[in-house]
Amino acid sequence: MVEDERRIGVFVCECGINISATVDCDEVTEYARTLPDVVFSIKNRYTCAEPGQEEIKRFIKEENLNRVVVASCTPRMHEPTFRQCCADAGLNPYLFEMANIREHCSWVHHDRKEATKKAKDTIKLAVARARKLESQEELTVPVTQAALVVGGGIAGMQASLDLADAGYQVYLVEKEPTIGGLMSYINKIFPTMD
Amino acid sequence: MAEEAKFKCLRCGHEYTDTYTPGVPQERTCPKCTSNSVRRMKEK
Amino acid sequence: MMDVGRHPKIELLTYSEIENVTGYIGNFHVNVRKKARYVDEDACTACEKCAEVCPVVAFDEHQLGLASRKAIYIPFPQSVPASYLINMEDCLGTNPIACGKCLEVCDPKCIDYDEKDSIIELDVGVIIVATGMDVIDPTVLDEYHYTEFENVMTSWEFEILTGPGYVTGSELLRPTDRKVPKSIGFIQCVGSRDDKRGHPYCSNICCMNTVKDTLYLKEHYPDMECYVYYMDIRTFGKQYEDLYKRSKEMGVRYIRGIPGDVEEDPETKNVIVAVENTTTGKLEHHELDMLVLSVGVEPRVETADIQKILTLSKAPDGFLAESHYQLNPIDSPTGGIFLAGCCESPKDVKGSVTQASGAAARAERLLSQRRVKVEAITSEIDPDLCTSCGICVKVCPYKAIRIEKKKAPAEVIEAACKGCGTCAAECKFGAITMKHFTDDQILSMIDAMLEEKPEEKICTFACNWCSYAGADLAGLSRIQYPPNARIIRTMCSGRVDEKFIWYAFQKGAPVVLVSGCHFVDCHYIDANRWTQKRIEKIWDKLEQKGIRPERLQLEWCSAAEAKRWQSIMRAAENLRKTVSKQEIEETIRILSNGDKPKTKAKAEAKGKKKPKVTAASSE
């Protein structure tokens, strides 16, 4: 892809007041538009909610976006959500990037000026990364229809039986000459004492 | 085999002696400030 | 057990061990060594004639040596497979002239002295590890004169003595005079919950095991005096508290206090226990016929081998580590491998069965999909730039990179790659691209970060699983810290290439902080060991160049350590304040001069060969 073809959209989430209480989201949204290759930026109340996601999908189409940055919470929470959202709009999910301005910013800094500054930088980093993102294809591999269970104690036996009853071939490998494991040493078993 | 060496914490500057085994990485924590920026000082 | 033995879908390989496993999720190739039994297990009818004529008497392992067996034996009557085997170390000789008595009497002719171990190769899509645990060996600690006093035994020996298979026919007889004891004591937590002797953790099952034993005794010998010496009785399971109450109602005396030591009456061989009853504050002396040590459990010694063969992780207590403590307690960190039972942590039967069914369900989920998607965060090798130096093969925690032939370029097995990026960071020739976390992407982030007022910023690398998550938790907990860090997330700290660090310093970073998981938590088995090695090297280089090494900080922080993240942030900020503009300018000047550190990977690729080791230096 040629440099001037990158069209990045930045979606800044207020997360109710979770972010907007300490980060000036208007200022941040304005700032985002000044970053290289950013052609569009908008503020949402909740980007992860249905209307927010619909907006992402709509602007991917209307603005012809080919990279999406959401500035909201941690990618450890909503990255799968937004990746799916991009995929639904026909964008490769690996062309999506997140800027964590909640857990790593609005929630940990009281000073509005400093937090806004950090949020801007965080988005700047995310945009810098987004500019370099490339589409990726996920590999699918076949799954051999058999299971190995290592150890023939009570756990190994139970797992083997469950899988075998489900119709899968099971190989149960036990080190000792017999299965049974530690349980075969036990006289009675609590709580039923049998 | 384990050898003795001098370690220095790059956060608080605390220096102490501890054992280490060459080639076997070990998580090191400064006993004073709990930083992991602990550097083994080589004999000059 | 019988169900397992005769299930048409289960192939039972007993007396067998896993030797080697290659492959990846959905596609494992396994080599199993099936040891020679010298008895054909399918043909053997377990008629017992062979054992009748066998002249050898050996310790019976299955009765902990409390009884004997022959050299040709069946472990216990209900063994599956129901077949005899010969222990060749006990047998008088493989040469039938030496003995050969069993061969003569065997009607189905299933004995073969010349049988050899065989290697069986298996292809499977999933692996369930259920290697169990071990009971603490009481001879090592020799608590309470276990090796000296005959009437002191372990809870496991007690099981044998009261079990149906034992020679006394489940009559409990004390070892010294073969009489039913009139009094018995149980000491809890032997080898457990002790930092100095044994293990620091609670072994989970011993309290209930003792409660169970006392109930058994009170049912069979109502007049027997029973004492239990304990620190805490833990009966958290369903219906467990009822059993404990019943035990107390039946007259078992529970005494809060662990005996310091015990003595033996040289004549009666009785055991005298001195214990401080911490409830009454009084010292009590009990003369007992028998004393049982309620021993704890520990990871099997073989766990280390299994861990290595399957590239699993260990928890600090030595048991195998699960993928996530709360949210993914059955998956191992390696895709397609699941944990069941006591290899993961000490459990009772119910707990083991529950987890085993969970593991089966997790495995089935994968099997039923027939095809599995692998996240595209994997590494890629440019064969033109690769020099086959082999460093990537060495550092890969998942054996996901191979060099098929000497000097052939390395190849990534995409499905086995978990995406830690250590290979890309260690490759000296810029031949490896970490997809979705490329050099170009990360260097661009550093550029963006340090473009304006670099002196105010702490260039921070955080790994996805631990330190980044720890920072997330700090957010969730609203823990405040200085706002100067700018975080670059990588999947693993192992991805943090030396050139990123040099580049950041060159661009004016006052402080660079590399953070990742504690060693025990590393989500890529041991990838962060390479991070540490790399940082140690860079500290040396910084010093050589006249740059303060402490400006590069290394910190491990788990996903649960929000407070630690705060203290790391505060320390980094304090350090940042000590770095003046002049110092930064000086650093930039040093790094721009002469031996310029690597900035762009591709420029470095000159196809250098590793210097050959001369004969003299290799000696």
Side-chain angles (χ1 to χ4, degrees):
Chain A
M1 196 174 281
V2 189
E3 194 101 346
D4 58 15
E5 279 181 351
R6 289 198 190 94
R7 296 181 62 82
I8 303 176
V10 180
F11 298 80
V12 179
C13 179
E14 293 185 308
C15 194
I17 57 159
N18 278 305
I19 294 170
S20 59
T22 33
V23 170
D24 186 332
C25 290
D26 289 318
E27 193 183 325
V28 167
T29 310
E30 282 302 309
Y31 170 79
R33 212 168 297 152
T34 67
L35 294 168
D37 293 334
V38 175
V39 296
F40 173 83
S41 73
I42 195 169
K43 185 182 81 173
N44 314 106
R45 193 76 177 148
Y46 289 102
T47 313
C48 63
E50 200 57 37
Q53 289 199 47
E54 284 310 314
E55 242 175 24
I56 295 176
K57 288 181 203 167
R58 179 154 71 92
F59 289 112
I60 287 175
K61 295 210 171 84
E62 279 180 18
E63 297 290 329
N64 216 8
L65 305 176
N66 54 25
R67 301 284 192 286
V68 168
V69 172
V70 171
S72 58
C73 49
T74 171
R76 291 172 48 81
M77 184 141 91
H78 276 312
E79 189 176 59
T81 316
F82 292 124
R83 272 190 178 178
Q84 189 55 49
C85 173
C86 290
D88 291 346
L91 192 67
N92 184 290
Y94 288 83
L95 297 175
F96 166 77
E97 176 63 10
M98 263 178 114
N100 184 345
I101 59 168
R102 192 178 74 172
E103 282 85 345
H104 289 189
C105 189
S106 69
W107 277 349
V108 289
H109 310 308
H110 282 319
D111 186 323
R112 193 172 169 83
K113 212 176 118 219
E114 286 295 330
T116 303
K117 199 162 91 181
K118 186 175 179 181
K120 284 180 180 175
D121 255 11
T122 307
I123 292 171
K124 187 178 180 184
L125 261 66
V127 168
R129 179 170 147 80
R131 295 177 73 208
K132 306 284 180 177
L133 288 176
E134 287 165 36
S135 301
Q136 303 293 346
E137 292 312 316
E138 285 181 340
L139 189 74
T140 59
V141 292
V143 178
T144 308
Q145 297 294 297
L148 168 71
V149 177
V150 190
I154 182 71
M157 290 193 288
Q158 182 68 42
S160 300
L161 282 172
D162 282 4
L163 281 171
D165 285 346
Y168 296 102
Q169 176 64 44
V170 176
Y171 301 100
L172 175 55
V173 174
E174 166 58 47
K175 196 179 168 212
E176 298 297 326
T178 173
I179 54 171
L182 278 187
M183 211 195 76
S184 65
Y185 289 76
I186 302 174
N187 178 17
K188 288 195 182 305
I189 294 162
F190 57 83
T192 50
M193 307 292 290
D194 51 4
Chain B
M1 277 307 289
E3 294 171 23
E4 286 228 320
K6 272 217 159 90
F7 289 89
K8 186 183 175 187
C9 172
L10 295 188
R11 185 198 282 181
C12 72
H14 178 59
E15 289 186 33
Y16 64 102
T17 316
D18 202 352
T19 56
Y20 88 106
T21 313
V24 183
Q26 203 190 326
E27 180 168 332
R28 299 212 174 265
T29 305
C30 171
K32 221 174 129 191
C33 74
T34 76
S35 171
N36 304 115
S37 297
V38 176
R39 187 179 174 213
R40 183 163 61 87
M41 307 308 283
K42 299 200 174 97
E43 303 282 324
K44 291 257 163 78
Chain C
M1 275 172 65
M2 299 267 287
D3 295 343
V4 174
R6 59 177 172 228
H7 201 295
K9 282 282 188 182
I10 300 177
E11 187 173 333
L12 197 53
L13 299 165
T14 53
Y15 216 30
S16 303
E17 282 178 68
I18 307 292
E19 283 211 324
N20 189 31
V21 175
T22 53
Y24 45 86
I25 182 168
N27 299 271
F28 295 105
H29 188 75
V30 185
N31 283 346
V32 179
R33 174 178 293 273
K34 191 162 172 49
K35 288 175 278 188
R37 290 178 86 102
Y38 308 100
V39 176
D40 183 337
E41 61 185 73
D42 297 323
C44 176
T45 59
C47 68
E48 214 186 334
K49 279 186 187 161
C50 53
E52 279 167 11
V53 298
C54 179
V56 181
V57 177
F59 276 119
D60 183 350
E61 300 88 350
H62 203 264
Q63 307 222 32
L64 305 172
L66 293 169
S68 62
R69 60 159 173 79
K70 298 298 184 68
I72 185 162
Y73 68 105
I74 188 163
F76 55 95
Q78 305 85 355
S79 292
V80 176
S83 161
Y84 278 67
L85 73 153
I86 299 175
N87 183 323
M88 269 303 162
E89 278 172 29
D90 300 331
C91 184
L92 289 178
T94 49
N95 180 352
I97 300 160
C99 175
K101 286 201 167 76
C102 54
L103 191 63
E104 286 165 24
V105 297
C106 181
D107 290 333
K109 298 286 166 236
C110 54
I111 299 171
D112 174 9
Y113 295 122
D114 297 322
E115 193 188 328
K116 298 265 182 310
D117 290 4
S118 56
I119 301 290
I120 296 165
E121 294 185 30
L122 304 172
D123 285 301
V124 296
V126 294
I127 298 176
I128 293 177
V129 181
T131 46
M133 61 185 180
D134 248 333
V135 179
I136 289 169
D137 178 1
T139 57
V140 178
L141 294 174
D142 196 17
E143 295 276 33
Y144 305 106
H145 304 274
Y146 168 78
T147 57
E148 219 180 309
F149 302 164
E150 265 192 273
N151 291 328
V152 177
M153 63 185 58
T154 69
S155 43
W156 284 84
E157 288 165 331
F158 180 86
E159 285 293 333
I160 300 295
L161 290 182
T162 52
Y166 188 55
V167 282
T168 60
S170 45
E171 183 82 279
L172 174 65
L173 302 177
R174 77 168 189 162
T176 49
D177 53 14
R178 307 276 189 265
K179 282 184 186 151
V180 177
K182 292 190 184 66
S183 58
I184 190 166
F186 292 83
I187 301 180
Q188 294 306 110
C189 296
V190 177
S192 301
R193 300 182 67 198
D194 193 329
D195 287 330
K196 294 189 191 85
R197 294 174 69 78
H199 299 291
Y201 54 81
C202 167
S203 288
N204 182 326
I205 55 171
C206 337
C207 280
M208 279 314 294
N209 194 61
T210 293
V211 170
K212 176 199 82 174
D213 287 344
T214 60
L215 285 171
Y216 168 83
L217 290 172
K218 280 292 182 188
E219 273 163 25
H220 287 76
Y221 312 101
D223 297 332
M224 192 186 286
E225 277 181 67
C226 293
Y227 296 90
V228 177
Y229 309 101
Y230 71 97
M231 296 191 234
D232 304 286
I233 291 287
R234 297 181 169 180
T235 61
F236 53 86
K238 193 174 177 178
Q239 295 170 26
Y240 291 4
E241 185 71 11
D242 296 344
L243 292 189
Y244 176 40
K245 269 191 201 152
R246 213 162 94 202
S247 168
K248 286 204 276 195
E249 280 161 16
M250 288 173 100
V252 176
R253 275 198 65 199
Y254 284 83
I255 293 163
R256 191 189 172 100
I258 296 288
D261 200 7
V262 297
E263 283 174 28
E264 185 185 56
D265 185 319
E267 281 191 16
T268 60
K269 299 289 177 190
N270 286 351
V271 185
I272 301 147
V273 174
V275 60
E276 190 198 337
N277 184 332
T278 59
T279 316
T280 60
K282 284 190 183 127
L283 190 67
E284 295 184 22
H285 291 271
H286 303 146
E287 187 169 336
L288 305 168
D289 286 353
M290 256 173 90
L291 183 63
V292 178
L293 308 182
S294 188
V295 288
V297 293
E298 61 189 5
R300 289 188 80 93
V301 183
E302 305 92 319
T303 307
D305 302 330
I306 289 289
Q307 184 203 351
K308 220 173 156 194
I309 292 170
L310 296 174
T311 57
L312 303 174
S313 310
K314 249 191 209 173
D317 55 15
F319 290 94
L320 292 174
E322 61 284 71
S323 183
H324 187 283
Y325 189 87
Q326 289 103 346
L327 304 176
N328 213 348
I330 292 173
D331 293 22
S332 83
T334 306
I337 302 181
F338 308 93
L339 309 177
C342 301
C343 63
E344 184 261 325
S345 65
K347 287 180 189 69
D348 57 22
V349 172
K350 183 182 177 180
S352 292
V353 170
T354 307
Q355 196 182 23
S357 285
R362 294 291 295 168
E364 206 188 320
R365 175 180 159 272
L366 200 62
L367 288 166
S368 66
Q369 288 173 13
R370 294 188 166 264
R371 293 188 74 81
V372 58
K373 244 186 189 182
V374 189
E375 202 175 20
I377 302 174
T378 52
S379 65
E380 212 171 31
I381 298 177
D382 182 340
D384 295 332
L385 295 177
C386 177
T387 64
S388 315
C389 75
I391 183 81
C392 51
V393 178
K394 192 174 144 196
V395 303
C396 178
Y398 297 95
K399 305 180 191 168
I401 306 180
R402 63 180 168 207
I403 296 177
E404 286 279 342
K405 283 184 299 216
K406 246 191 177 174
K407 290 191 182 162
E411 286 173 63
V412 178
I413 307 156
E414 213 181 323
C417 175
K418 287 268 184 169
C420 69
T422 306
C423 55
E426 287 292 329
C427 179
K428 293 178 184 70
F429 308 101
I432 302 183
T433 305
M434 189 62 225
K435 286 190 274 182
H436 209 54
F437 287 90
T438 64
D439 287 0
D440 201 17
Q441 287 162 2
I442 294 168
L443 292 171
S444 300
M445 290 175 89
I446 298 174
D447 266 331
M449 181 195 305
L450 302 170
E451 194 179 30
E452 286 169 63
K453 298 197 175 166
E455 68 282 359
E456 289 180 2
K457 308 193 186 154
I458 297 157
C459 177
T460 305
F461 295 92
C463 81
N464 181 62
W465 305 101
C466 290
S467 51
Y468 193 94
D472 280 352
L473 185 63
L476 276 166
S477 321
R478 311 296 197 274
I479 291 173
Q480 306 289 302
Y481 55 81
N484 298 61
R486 299 291 180 267
I487 296 180
I488 295 176
R489 181 175 67 115
T490 55
M491 294 310 282
C492 175
S493 64
R495 174 68 189 101
V496 182
D497 198 315
E498 183 171 342
K499 62 175 162 278
F500 302 160
I501 295 166
W502 291 118
Y503 193 68
F505 280 129
Q506 209 180 0
K507 290 283 165 182
V511 173
V512 176
L513 166 65
V514 178
S515 67
C517 307
H518 289 289
F519 275 25
V520 291
D521 296 333
C522 181
H523 277 247
Y524 301 95
I525 301 172
D526 58 0
N528 65 356
R529 282 25 163 210
W530 296 100
T531 314
Q532 176 158 314
K533 280 189 185 173
R534 202 178 300 142
I535 298 292
E536 283 170 358
K537 261 193 292 181
I538 305 172
W539 279 332
D540 293 345
K541 287 187 194 170
L542 283 165
E543 191 170 48
Q544 281 163 17
K545 289 178 193 295
I547 301 168
R548 281 196 290 155
E550 54 264 42
R551 285 173 58 196
L552 172 60
Q553 292 279 310
L554 174 69
E555 294 295 349
W556 311 127
C557 179
S558 82
E561 292 178 313
K563 277 270 176 197
R564 180 169 175 82
W565 185 254
Q566 178 190 43
S567 76
I568 291 168
M569 287 290 104
R570 284 178 177 167
E573 172 61 5
N574 287 340
L575 177 64
R576 186 195 67 81
K577 285 182 193 152
T578 69
V579 186
S580 67
K581 271 194 171 178
Q582 289 86 332
E583 190 177 349
I584 292 171
E585 274 161 27
E586 175 67 7
T587 304
I588 296 171
R589 194 190 56 75
I590 292 169
L591 294 179
S592 311
N593 270 351
D595 56 342
K596 203 173 162 182
K598 301 155 192 174
T599 49
K600 293 282 175 191
K602 280 175 188 159
E604 286 300 310
K606 289 176 202 152
K608 276 181 276 181
K609 292 254 164 64
K610 224 175 155 182
K612 274 193 186 138
V613 182
T614 60
S617 64
S618 66
E619 261 177 24

